[in-house]
Amino acid sequence: MSLTLDLGGKTAVVTGGVRGVGAGISRALLDAGADVVAVARREPETLPEAAGRTARFVSLDARDPDAAQAFADGLDRVDVLVNNAGGAPFLPIADGPVRTHIKIIELNLTAALIMARALRPRMLENGGGSVINISSVSGVRPSPGTAAYGAAKAGLHNLTQSLAVEWAPDIRVNALTLGMVRTELSHLHYGDEAGVQAVADTVPLGRLADPYEVGAACVFLASDLASYVTGSTMLLHGGGERPAFLDAATVNKEER
């Protein structure tokens, strides 16, 4: 096996693949030579481009099983599925309509199950493939204000591990657990530029991730270099979060 990240000849489907993290994933896959089908509910003004090629857009609500199946039936081949569609507003569980919280879970967990199930036969037709679920640190720690989102991402971790066992050896299933990523919507979560920088200062690497860096990790997990990686979760969080007690304690202070 050669040490290569060349995905030429492969087709990758990226849900939510036209904006933010999803656009970075689409660009990285294009750079690696893959043909990219970016799906979302609404078509953007511009599509992700890289290496002189442009992602193909298909309008799709990944939460709709019938629509997902029709989409899968219309594809010639699929080698890689990146379940990236997701997100949530700040909304404590006691606030807002309960249906809003249910929709958040559907988008961040159920949609990944629906898409993986629908595209599995297409992957098997070509000898197998790779499913990459985009998760979050919110699924492995408390997620106050976004509890439905955190619960869905926690479920996504188990779905990843379970499908890796059910679908082995032909289809590998892995997850990327993301920390904070800088996108065009960062201000909705962190505030103005000062707020973004203050948040970045809490990360050991001193900055938020770039969407393309998430895409680079997806390229690795989709490539032959990851041929023995399945049921795994890769942490992509810049070193995580500094424990709060270190700053609260009145002893053992380090200069920072």
Side-chain angles (χ1 to χ4, degrees):
M1 181 180 69
S2 61
L3 295 178
T4 178
L5 292 177
D6 181 11
L7 299 182
K10 295 185 181 296
T11 297
V13 172
V14 183
T15 67
V18 296
R19 297 182 180 87
V21 170
I25 293 170
S26 294
R27 288 194 299 270
L29 290 166
L30 287 166
D31 258 343
D35 294 322
V36 174
V37 182
V39 303
R41 284 181 292 170
R42 301 178 186 87
E43 185 171 2
E45 293 183 4
T46 60
L47 290 170
E49 299 179 4
R53 296 181 302 118
T54 303
R56 179 164 69 93
F57 174 77
V58 175
S59 177
L60 173 67
D61 185 346
R63 300 168 299 181
D64 183 334
D66 293 335
Q69 189 59 59
F71 166 72
D73 292 343
L75 295 173
D76 293 330
R77 66 176 294 152
V78 179
D79 304 279
V80 180
L81 166 64
V82 182
N83 282 312
N84 166 74
F90 183 86
L91 185 66
I93 284 292
D95 297 343
V98 68
R99 181 60 191 160
T100 299
H101 297 281
I102 293 172
K103 286 182 177 179
I104 290 170
I105 294 173
E106 290 174 344
L107 176 61
N108 290 279
L109 174 59
T110 310
L113 184 154
I114 289 170
M115 291 297 293
R117 177 185 164 102
L119 295 181
R120 176 176 176 263
R122 288 288 174 267
M123 292 185 177
L124 293 176
E125 288 173 359
N126 295 294
S130 172
V131 176
I132 303 164
N133 295 320
I134 303 302
S135 189
S136 167
V137 294
S138 294
V140 295
R141 57 140 169 84
S143 187
T146 53
Y149 174 79
K153 294 303 188 183
L156 191 60
H157 290 152
N158 187 273
L159 179 67
T160 297
Q161 295 173 331
S162 298
L163 291 186
V165 175
E166 287 189 14
W167 293 357
D170 299 306
I171 297 175
R172 296 183 297 105
V173 186
N174 293 289
L176 281 177
T177 296
L178 306 187
M180 294 172 287
V181 183
R182 181 157 192 165
T183 71
E184 63 270 27
L185 299 179
S186 290
H187 65 283
L188 297 179
H189 300 282
Y190 313 129
D192 59 14
E193 191 62 31
V196 172
Q197 185 57 53
V199 171
D201 288 341
T202 70
V203 179
L205 285 186
R207 63 179 179 83
L208 306 188
D210 184 274
Y212 190 90
E213 293 175 304
V214 180
C218 289
V219 170
F220 165 71
L221 289 174
S223 75
D224 289 342
L225 290 184
S227 60
Y228 200 65
V229 181
T230 194
S232 173
T233 296
M234 177 187 292
L235 295 174
L236 200 71
H237 57 16
E241 301 172 354
R242 179 178 170 83
F245 80 86
L246 291 176
D247 295 321
T250 59
V251 295
N252 302 322
K253 294 291 186 182
E254 295 180 359
E255 292 187 7
R256 298 180 60 194

